[in-house]
Amino acid sequence: MTEVIKILLVEDDEDDYFLTSDYLAQCESPTFELTWVTNSNDAVEALKTKNFDLCLLDYLLGAENAIDVLTVLKANQINLPVVILTGQSDATVDEMVMRAGAADYLQKSEIETPRFMRTIRYAMVRRDIENERLERSKVEQKNKAKDKFLAHLGHELRTPLTSILGYTELLIDDSRNSPFQQELSIIHSNGKHLLSLLNDLLDMSRIMADKLELNIKDVNLSAFLTDIHSLMRLNAKDKGLSLHVISSTKIPEFIQTDPTRLRQVLLNLISNSVKFTDKGSITLTISLDEPVAENNQLASLKFSVEDTGIGMAPDKLVSIFQPFEQIEDLMRANHGGAGLGLAISKELVAKLGGKIDVKSRMGEGSTFTFDINPGDISSQPFVELELGQIQPVESESINLNVTGRVLIVDDLREIRRLTGHIVSQSNADISYAENGVKALEAVLQADEYNQPFDLVLMDIHMPVMNGIEALHAIRRHGQNTPIIAVTAASRKGLRESLIREGFNDVIGKPIDRFALANLLSQFLPPGNHVTFTNVEAQVADMPMKKPYAPEKESSQSEAIENGANSELSSEDNASKPTAPQKKQILVIEDDEDAAELLLLFLSHLGHTVSVENSGADALQAAKDNNFDHILMDLTLPDYDGYDLATELRQEQPNAILTIVSGHEADTEAMSSIGINNALLKPVTKDDLASVVGQV
């Protein structure tokens, strides 16, 4: 089909109009549709009522010139390419019209020459480029608006979830509510489900906006898979299922990947298998396809999650990796979800350098298989996968007649709390650290407060500072606290090697509860026995002189915590103080329910709390009183959160500033202002204890 170009000719000389019209009429491809006006007013009227591709504008129009007309067009926000027609070439005039916004200029004597057509073509190309730029700009603006909306939505949903989950936890912890434990647990479980859906939506938004970044690091594969097994076997057991983790080939000792995102994919696939399997087993199989030099084939690490569940019909498999898609039959089975888990997993696997696939048969089960790029493994030793001796999951408590103070160090929050759950069945007080640096700070400050730890359980493979480095640093500071190495590796001679490094003992992952009980009995002082059943152990990270930012992951986000009974406190567990005195704390929160919950949590931790609902009132309070710690929301009715933090820092230079918000904090802004920590709503009493401490 022949292209039709619509041209508006602004020309006050009739002869020139006929000359231009005759020439354009002779063109076969493209063809031209010409509209003629003689002044700027008629030009504006024509452009407002009809769409044109190009404007040919005479330089002199009686009392007007082209620059006047261009000014009028710009004032009326009319945007199209304009080619100026001049009687004779004048370099000064040419420069003036180009600066005024003309696309090009042309002498009238050149209308019947090839240059005229080239000028029109170039102007049209520039128009297309400009239109594409404007469209991209519109799309970018829409994406920014969407991102802003989702950030706002995240904050607005996290704030009520804070109240729902927090108050439910308080009710669960109150022994007077024991007749309603089942109902309260249902409320708490569904609140956490809402939080997981919110996290999925925000993850999907980041992926679609191409804003999800990977954090590639060295990962000990055996230790990583051991942690996965530890986290998920309790969920499987709750449904009477068995979970197996095996390797069909030798695997590299270390790979290079993003462990958080790989864990997210595996936990999602295994959780789905548990959800849709009523009897039988789930098997995670790992294998390595080694590189083939002659085909330039890179090494590939494959993961397969196979279950004996309800399966899916073949015609349903095409859509399950699409966002917001769910299989109708499964929805009717009341399994729930937003239909984002598999879509997120597909995108994450692609970012990790692989692809995901599924095979399934109705009534027989499903197998999800994906591969990732393991990085450069050419210098890695290849080992058999050994997860260690897995003990059956026991329901009874361990009776430990020991007391004292224990520091648990592991970069995985769930593993810290699973370990803490076992230790909590003694009368020992528990603190946590997420890497070697935090462990060193905790040990040194505990000694400074004359409350040294009696035992440290130290994971070996951690970011920032690993367990061996942390051990050496602690010993260099003259600390002789007993430190037990916790490792998933099982290679020959490892135990002897770690003992030579200076560890007092070694325990494998997954941690055998009876082996750990034996070690606690060896290293902790005897004390009155307290048995914990159906309550969660009270935990609090050691307060630091220079507090560190806590983990960003939400404290209720993982389904693992349901089965592990792994966190939060009971009034029945009267722990030793972990700080020398109670603190004066200012809470700044405009949501009254959320503010009241923070007040309750902090009061239970033994601190004195003042609450303000606006930035202005908070500043006045900061002028009138001295605070040890300030907890503040980022979204307030009268202040930008970072502006308020800047002013609070000036008023209270020695106070610790912690953001508690539904928005993820800007790390650069935190650093420049001097904000110490950030907690993402919803927060638990454990989260607050980790940054504020407890009396």
Side-chain angles (χ1 to χ4, degrees):
M1 187 175 179
T2 305
E3 180 185 8
V4 178
I5 298 176
K6 297 177 182 179
I7 294 181
L8 175 66
L9 174 63
V10 187
E11 172 64 73
D12 62 347
D13 188 309
E14 188 176 20
D15 291 338
D16 286 340
Y17 157 65
F18 283 119
L19 177 66
T20 306
S21 177
D22 289 344
Y23 176 72
L24 293 176
Q26 296 172 21
C27 295
E28 295 182 358
S29 180
T31 60
F32 295 91
E33 182 182 305
L34 188 65
T35 300
W36 175 38
V37 296
T38 60
N39 57 67
S40 62
N41 290 335
D42 291 345
V44 169
E45 190 62 32
L47 288 165
K48 285 184 176 180
T49 57
K50 187 177 178 181
N51 291 325
F52 291 93
D53 299 308
L54 180 70
C55 176
L56 294 175
L57 174 60
D58 187 14
Y59 179 71
L60 291 175
L61 295 167
E64 298 178 297
N65 62 33
I67 295 175
D68 298 326
V69 178
L70 288 168
T71 303
V72 172
L73 295 181
K74 187 178 292 184
N76 284 273
Q77 297 183 338
I78 295 171
N79 182 31
L80 85 165
V82 178
V83 174
I84 306 300
L85 300 175
T86 63
Q88 58 185 11
S89 180
D90 184 327
T92 303
V93 171
D94 294 345
E95 184 178 350
M96 288 172 61
V97 295
M98 294 300 286
R99 286 183 176 179
D104 210 336
Y105 57 89
L106 188 69
Q107 292 184 52
K108 290 183 179 180
S109 60
E110 297 177 303
I111 286 178
E112 294 184 318
T113 68
R115 186 171 185 270
F116 178 68
M117 189 57 64
R118 285 201 304 271
T119 300
I120 291 178
R121 285 291 189 191
Y122 292 157
M124 298 294 291
V125 168
R126 284 195 289 272
R127 178 207 62 177
D128 293 341
I129 292 172
E130 177 63 14
N131 287 342
E132 287 178 7
R133 186 191 68 80
L134 291 173
E135 284 302 314
R136 282 198 305 271
S137 178
K138 288 179 184 177
V139 171
E140 288 172 3
Q141 291 302 318
K142 286 181 180 178
N143 284 336
K144 286 179 181 177
K146 183 185 71 174
D147 292 344
K148 187 175 181 181
F149 167 76
L150 286 172
H152 177 72
L153 177 67
H155 175 267
E156 291 302 311
L157 291 178
R158 287 181 187 279
T159 297
L161 277 172
T162 295
S163 298
I164 293 169
L165 292 169
Y167 279 107
T168 306
E169 287 173 354
L170 288 176
L171 291 171
I172 289 173
D173 286 345
D174 192 332
S175 58
R176 292 172 296 180
N177 297 320
S178 54
F180 311 107
Q181 286 295 311
Q182 182 176 357
E183 291 83 356
L184 291 170
S185 295
I186 290 172
I187 295 172
H188 193 255
S189 174
N190 280 278
K192 291 198 288 186
H193 180 59
L194 282 176
L195 180 61
S196 70
L197 294 181
L198 173 61
N199 289 336
D200 280 350
L201 281 170
L202 295 178
D203 263 352
M204 197 71 234
S205 170
R206 293 188 192 100
I207 289 170
M208 293 175 74
D210 200 25
K211 290 185 176 179
L212 191 143
E213 297 181 356
L214 297 180
N215 182 19
I216 304 296
K217 59 180 72 172
D218 288 337
V219 177
N220 182 288
L221 191 52
S222 290
F224 175 85
L225 294 170
T226 296
D227 289 338
I228 295 290
H229 193 194
S230 299
L231 293 172
M232 292 308 301
R233 67 191 184 102
L234 291 173
N235 273 23
K237 179 184 178 296
D238 284 345
K239 288 192 67 176
L241 307 171
S242 57
L243 173 64
H244 309 287
V245 179
I246 61 174
S247 174
S248 59
T249 66
K250 287 188 175 183
I251 58 175
E253 187 173 6
F254 282 86
I255 62 173
Q256 294 174 332
T257 190
D258 184 330
T260 301
R261 294 306 179 180
L262 178 57
R263 184 182 303 112
Q264 185 176 350
V265 174
L266 286 170
L267 292 184
N268 180 56
L269 295 180
I270 296 172
S271 295
N272 278 349
S273 289
V274 171
K275 187 189 299 183
F276 296 114
T277 303
D278 294 323
K279 60 181 180 179
S281 63
I282 294 118
T283 303
L284 169 61
T285 305
I286 304 92
S287 62
L288 179 70
D289 285 348
E290 296 193 42
V292 179
E294 53 269 25
N295 298 334
N296 294 321
Q297 179 184 330
L298 300 176
S300 174
L301 191 63
K302 291 190 175 181
F303 298 84
S304 174
V305 178
E306 182 180 4
D307 63 56
T308 56
I310 60 177
M312 294 171 281
D315 61 322
K316 303 293 186 182
L317 300 182
V318 241
S319 60
I320 61 171
F321 292 111
Q322 299 302 314
F324 308 104
E325 290 282 346
Q326 278 198 332
I327 298 176
E328 189 177 350
D329 295 341
L330 301 185
M331 291 182 71
R332 283 202 295 267
N334 196 30
H335 291 290
L340 284 176
L342 291 176
I344 292 171
S345 296
K346 177 184 177 182
E347 297 297 334
L348 292 178
V349 167
K351 282 189 170 289
L352 293 170
K355 59 182 180 179
I356 189 169
D357 195 14
V358 59
K359 293 180 180 178
S360 185
R361 295 186 66 175
M362 287 294 293
E364 296 183 14
S366 303
T367 302
F368 286 84
T369 304
F370 70 92
D371 61 300
I372 65 166
N373 176 8
D376 183 7
I377 57 173
S378 56
S379 60
Q380 287 296 318
F382 292 87
V383 298
E384 299 287 350
L385 172 63
E386 294 186 17
L387 300 179
Q389 185 65 34
I390 306 294
Q391 293 293 329
V393 180
E394 304 289 347
S395 59
E396 71 273 9
S397 299
I398 297 177
N399 296 328
L400 285 175
N401 188 28
V402 293
T403 183
R405 304 189 66 245
V406 178
L407 176 65
I408 297 173
V409 189
D410 199 299
D411 60 311
L412 294 182
R413 185 169 198 243
E414 298 87 349
I415 297 298
R416 291 199 300 274
R417 295 194 170 191
L418 283 172
T419 307
H421 180 58
I422 301 174
V423 178
S424 72
Q425 296 178 57
S426 72
N427 199 31
D429 291 332
I430 307 168
S431 294
Y432 296 97
E434 64 188 49
N435 57 52
V437 172
K438 305 291 177 58
L440 175 62
E441 292 175 351
V443 169
L444 295 180
Q445 189 163 348
D447 186 63
E448 185 177 336
Y449 284 147
N450 292 319
Q451 294 178 327
F453 289 106
D454 297 287
L455 182 64
V456 177
L457 298 172
M458 181 81 73
D459 186 32
I460 297 301
H461 300 288
M462 296 181 293
V464 185
M465 178 187 284
N466 66 38
I468 296 174
E469 293 168 342
L471 167 74
H472 293 164
I474 290 171
R475 296 298 187 233
R476 282 197 301 270
H477 281 82
Q479 300 295 320
N480 295 316
T481 305
I483 302 177
I484 294 175
V486 182
T487 177
S490 57
R491 65 177 182 271
K492 185 177 180 181
L494 177 63
R495 175 184 173 82
E496 293 74 13
S497 171
L498 292 173
I499 296 293
R500 284 196 301 272
E501 291 284 354
F503 287 100
N504 297 79
D505 213 322
V506 180
I507 189 170
K509 283 184 177 181
I511 292 180
D512 180 289
R513 58 209 305 265
F514 297 104
L516 179 57
N518 182 52
L519 288 173
L520 295 177
S521 299
Q522 290 180 43
F523 290 99
L524 293 181
N528 293 330
H529 165 66
V530 175
T531 300
F532 293 87
T533 56
N534 297 324
V535 296
E536 296 169 324
Q538 184 171 14
V539 295
D541 287 336
M542 192 67 179
M544 305 298 160
K545 274 191 167 180
K546 182 180 180 182
Y548 56 89
E551 298 164 280
K552 289 186 178 179
E553 57 189 309
S554 170
S555 56
Q556 288 96 4
S557 63
E558 296 293 346
I560 311 311
E561 294 177 17
N562 293 335
N565 289 332
S566 57
E567 62 169 331
L568 211 57
S569 65
S570 161
E571 296 298 328
D572 299 331
N573 183 14
S575 65
K576 291 184 179 181
T578 58
Q581 59 183 9
K582 66 182 180 181
K583 297 174 182 177
Q584 299 291 327
I585 299 177
L586 173 62
V587 170
I588 310 168
E589 170 64 71
D590 62 322
D591 184 280
E592 293 183 2
D593 291 336
E596 179 68 19
L597 180 64
L598 290 174
L599 171 63
L600 287 172
F601 276 158
L602 293 166
S603 298
H604 284 185
L605 291 172
H607 302 294
T608 302
V609 186
S610 300
V611 176
E612 300 295 347
N613 303 118
S614 70
D617 292 341
L619 280 172
Q620 189 59 50
K623 291 176 182 177
D624 297 339
N625 305 278
N626 288 324
F627 293 102
D628 301 301
H629 206 123
I630 299 174
L631 300 168
M632 58 174 291
D633 192 10
L634 281 178
T635 307
L636 297 166
D638 60 339
Y639 254 92
D640 173 80
Y642 295 112
D643 292 341
L644 177 61
T646 302
E647 295 188 37
L648 288 170
R649 175 55 72 207
Q650 293 170 355
E651 290 291 339
Q652 301 265 341
N654 297 321
I656 296 168
L657 285 180
T658 296
I659 290 173
V660 182
S661 177
H663 294 291
E664 288 192 5
D666 185 326
T667 52
E668 290 184 9
M670 287 179 61
S671 176
S672 63
I673 295 169
I675 299 171
N676 304 86
N677 312 297
L679 293 175
L680 189 61
K681 292 179 179 178
V683 296
T684 66
K685 189 160 69 173
D686 272 351
D687 295 327
L688 295 172
S690 71
V691 295
V692 176
Q694 62 182 358
V695 176

